[in-house]
Amino acid sequence: MAFPEPKPRPPELPQKRLKTLDCGQGAVRAVRFNVDGNYCLTCGSDKTLKLWNPLRGTLLRTYSGHGYEVLDAAGSFDNSSLCSGGGDKAVVLWDVASGQVMRKFRGHAGKVNTVQFNEEATVILSGSIDSSIRCWDCRSRRPEPVQTLDEARDGVSSVKVSDHEVLAGSVDGRMRRYDLRMGQLFSDYVGSECGRGCGTGREDGGPARGTPASLTYPSLPQGPITCTCFSRDGQCTLVSSLDSTLRLLDKDTGELLGEYKGHKNQEYKLDCCLSERDTHVVSCSEDGKVFFWDLVEGVLALALPVGRGVVQSLAYHPTEPCLLTALGGSIQCWREEAYEAEDGAG
């Protein structure tokens, strides 16, 4: 006798504050989960990077080596390495266990806004205010990047990496997706107004290197992009811009699938993401809240009050309804209402 499959649980949103951690790093510029969600990294304006167990509220290690504020960081798939970038124009590769700098890559002409490992953690990709994405080989001793992607016409604000794709957002109002298998570049214009009944313009098929794709609608106002990400299922891309709007696009066609409004994002580079089951769109806001929208319906599900000021960064747990937020010099850990902390972790 076959038993029926259990009904999936309705999605739960993290709205119970478990912890507030004073990071002691000046302003926290970014907070990031590691690959399995057990630990997190905080990037400080005091030039340090810190590793935490956020549920227990314990500091595990401090990494010092940047010459200016740290703006972004990421962990490798095996938790053995970290990479970070910051205002000193450097990209740093760290050994997690010892806290030592393994490599320091220099070549960007401006501050490094965003860093990511590739899937095997053999290459670091860094996006900079100098309008370029640079790819650094972690295994060789060569000081120059193995590849430079310079199609952006303004600063690169966001870079995300899948197994064969690089997704980049730029202040020039374009989201670019590099298909490394096909050697192609797909470019989506994201503007506050389209005037043609749409939110994006797609230009496909350009080479991943060489002549950049021209603007589809050069007369339209540019909407600086602050953050981009893939959906968990890899079918869609989410992009936020400084017109206080998030847009969900079909990754393959560039079709606009949904728009999400209600938060405030007009001045700062803020994070956005999708929840662990792709049910909700999540965004920071400049009014001290984190906003959750139902992905399909587009309606606001929750405006989570975090504090006074700008919620500059957030990170969503890869498999559980757990959210980290960064406001001022502290981070906050949130879980669903039914969550019961174990072993004094809450």
Side-chain angles (χ1 to χ4, degrees):
M1 177 180 175
F3 291 97
E5 289 287 327
K7 288 183 65 176
R9 294 180 293 107
E12 298 176 279
L13 299 181
Q15 49 189 309
K16 180 166 75 171
R17 189 192 302 247
L18 287 188
K19 292 277 186 186
T20 296
L21 305 179
D22 184 354
C23 297
Q25 295 174 274
V28 177
R29 297 305 187 197
V31 59
R32 302 285 181 250
F33 270 117
N34 74 324
V35 65
D36 54 20
N38 292 330
Y39 306 101
C40 75
L41 297 162
T42 55
C43 305
S45 64
D46 70 344
K47 313 176 190 176
T48 67
L49 182 65
K50 291 188 176 182
L51 178 67
W52 304 82
N53 181 322
L55 286 179
R56 294 186 179 277
T58 52
L59 174 63
L60 302 174
R61 189 171 287 279
T62 299
Y63 302 85
S64 300
H66 275 282
Y68 206 68
E69 62 181 356
V70 187
L71 297 175
D72 196 19
S76 63
F77 73 98
D78 59 359
N79 293 318
S80 67
S81 306
L82 307 174
C83 64
S84 60
D88 58 0
K89 310 176 189 177
V91 176
V92 181
L93 175 65
W94 309 84
D95 178 70
V96 169
S98 69
Q100 297 300 305
V101 174
M102 297 165 64
R103 296 289 305 280
K104 190 172 282 192
F105 302 100
R106 298 190 182 277
H108 280 295
K111 68 179 182 180
V112 178
N113 288 320
T114 177
V115 292
Q116 288 276 291
F117 280 110
N118 70 336
E119 200 169 37
E120 297 82 20
T122 55
V123 175
I124 299 170
L125 291 91
S126 57
S128 168
I129 198 173
D130 69 5
S131 307
S132 74
I133 300 169
R134 296 177 189 241
C135 307
W136 311 93
D137 188 341
C138 299
R139 297 170 298 181
S140 78
R141 304 305 299 179
R142 60 185 292 175
E144 68 276 359
V146 294
Q147 188 171 5
T148 299
L149 306 173
D150 56 5
E151 285 77 15
R153 301 287 70 136
D154 209 328
V156 177
S157 57
S158 179
V159 171
K160 298 294 189 298
V161 183
S162 74
D163 60 344
H164 69 285
E165 295 170 309
V166 177
L167 184 69
S170 170
V171 179
D172 67 8
R174 286 210 166 250
M175 180 172 64
R176 295 173 174 85
R177 180 170 59 89
Y178 299 86
D179 188 317
L180 304 180
R181 289 177 182 167
M182 303 295 293
Q184 286 186 306
L185 165 63
F186 301 93
S187 179
D188 290 299
Y189 167 79
V190 177
S192 56
E193 299 174 21
C194 183
R196 308 190 183 195
C198 64
T200 64
R202 160 61 68 92
E203 182 165 297
D204 292 355
R209 302 200 59 190
T211 307
S214 61
L215 291 177
T216 310
Y217 307 129
S219 62
L220 292 174
Q222 298 296 305
I225 290 173
T226 61
C227 187
T228 58
C229 65
F230 292 105
S231 59
R232 307 270 179 179
D233 64 8
Q235 301 300 306
C236 304
T237 56
L238 181 67
V239 55
S240 66
S241 52
L242 287 184
D243 58 355
S244 298
T245 304
L246 291 97
R247 295 172 176 87
L248 186 72
L249 308 181
D250 183 284
K251 189 186 76 172
D252 292 328
T253 67
E255 178 188 357
L256 180 66
L257 302 176
E259 288 191 342
Y260 310 90
K261 300 182 179 182
H263 67 305
K264 182 181 179 184
N265 187 10
Q266 298 172 327
E267 297 182 57
Y268 298 95
K269 177 185 177 298
L270 305 183
D271 288 334
C272 66
C273 67
L274 290 155
S275 61
E276 87 283 6
R277 290 161 59 188
D278 276 346
T279 58
H280 289 81
V281 171
V282 191
S283 176
C284 296
S285 181
E286 294 168 8
D287 59 5
K289 299 174 184 173
V290 169
F291 284 73
F292 295 77
W293 296 267
D294 184 281
L295 179 130
V296 176
E297 301 295 331
V299 297
L300 183 65
L302 174 66
L304 180 68
V306 178
R308 297 179 63 180
V310 178
V311 182
Q312 184 152 331
S313 183
L314 59 76
Y316 215 100
H317 194 283
T319 58
E320 299 177 14
C322 178
L323 175 73
L324 299 176
T325 54
L327 188 150
S330 64
I331 62 169
Q332 302 78 33
C333 182
W334 308 82
R335 291 295 307 235
E336 71 277 21
E337 289 287 1
Y339 178 78
E340 295 293 336
E342 298 176 6
D343 300 325

